[in-house]
Amino acid sequence: MAKLYFRYGAMNSGKSTGLLQAAFNYEERGQRVLLAKPGVDTKGDDSIVSRLGVTRPVDLVIHPEDDVREVFAAAAHGDDPNALLQHVDVEPVACLLVDEAQFLSPAQVDDLLRIAVLDGVPVLAYGIRTDFRTHAFPGAARLLEVAHSLEELKTICRCGRKAVFNTRRVDGEFVFHGDQVAIDGGEVTYESLCGSCYLQESGGNLG
């Protein structure tokens, strides 16, 4: 049985880089993969952008109203009316790779599980667990509940300890209130911190 994998870590832990490396590994062996990301992630438009500078277009952009299993099936079989592959025989998909999976809804995460279990296609989902207020993203929470395999991707805090929390800066200043989703770029940036440094910056507050 194929499995749903959730590979998570704080910001700058190499999630997108790991996804692109996994795609390369499959394709190096002559296997077909599909790459996807939620439409709410506007960084890179319809591409996955690694902080190392590697960029690759996605095959699927998942919008909030989408049934992910239906969208996946259309792309996998080449019968998407907007796809060039229409009515052309295509190789089976060996793996579905999803970037920024925390932005999916719980129902869409359930679709990923169905793709793995019912359709027999492994799904590798990459994302972060919590926002800058230490609150779980709904998609990440559901992945932690239903994924067959959980793997933490580690990064370090500025102090050298393991980073576990994500912080948001606006115009260079740490903020701990605001909307859960604000894509980095321009005035908004993020930094990964250990628990000690996070509490120091937040005045001892969590969320």
Side-chain angles (χ1 to χ4, degrees):
M1 180 184 70
K3 296 181 179 180
L4 170 60
Y5 300 81
F6 184 33
R7 296 177 176 172
Y8 64 90
M11 301 288 289
N12 301 324
S13 58
K15 298 178 297 297
S16 296
T17 301
L19 183 154
L20 294 172
Q21 180 66 54
F24 175 83
N25 292 344
Y26 271 96
E27 292 175 335
E28 189 177 39
R29 291 159 178 79
Q31 297 180 309
R32 179 179 171 226
V33 299
L34 291 180
L35 277 60
K37 77 171 192 176
V40 68
D41 176 26
T42 56
K43 182 177 62 179
D45 296 321
D46 293 346
S47 297
I48 292 173
V49 181
S50 143
R51 292 187 185 272
L52 294 181
V54 181
T55 301
R56 173 168 170 169
V58 297
D59 303 286
L60 308 172
V61 176
I62 301 169
H63 301 288
E65 68 279 6
D66 284 345
D67 180 309
V68 179
R69 193 177 178 208
E70 289 183 358
V71 172
F72 168 76
H77 299 132
D79 56 4
D80 183 339
N82 297 315
L84 296 177
L85 294 174
Q86 187 176 11
H87 305 309
V88 177
D89 290 336
V90 294
E91 292 293 323
V93 175
C95 185
L96 172 64
L97 300 106
V98 184
D99 199 29
E100 304 291 1
Q102 74 274 3
F103 294 140
L104 299 177
S105 70
Q108 289 175 327
V109 171
D110 290 349
D111 285 337
L112 298 183
L113 182 67
R114 293 184 184 99
I115 291 169
V117 175
L118 300 180
D119 302 326
V121 177
V123 179
L124 307 184
Y126 293 75
I128 59 178
R129 293 181 303 167
T130 58
D131 63 19
F132 69 108
R133 303 165 302 178
T134 72
H135 297 169
F137 285 94
R142 189 59 177 156
L143 279 161
L144 290 168
E145 291 170 339
V146 302
H148 296 93
S149 175
L150 303 173
E151 178 184 349
E152 183 179 17
L153 305 177
K154 299 178 178 61
T155 190
I156 60 171
C157 177
R158 62 193 181 192
C159 70
R161 289 188 285 254
K162 175 185 169 185
V164 293
F165 295 116
N166 305 296
T167 57
R168 179 183 293 172
R169 289 177 182 264
V170 177
D171 294 327
E173 299 294 327
F174 286 107
V175 297
F176 297 92
H177 301 283
D179 294 337
Q180 185 172 56
V181 178
I183 304 302
D184 57 339
E187 65 192 27
V188 178
T189 59
Y190 291 90
E191 182 180 353
S192 303
L193 299 179
C194 69
S196 177
C197 289
Y198 184 94
L199 290 172
Q200 179 179 344
E201 295 294 345
S202 69
N205 296 316
L206 288 170

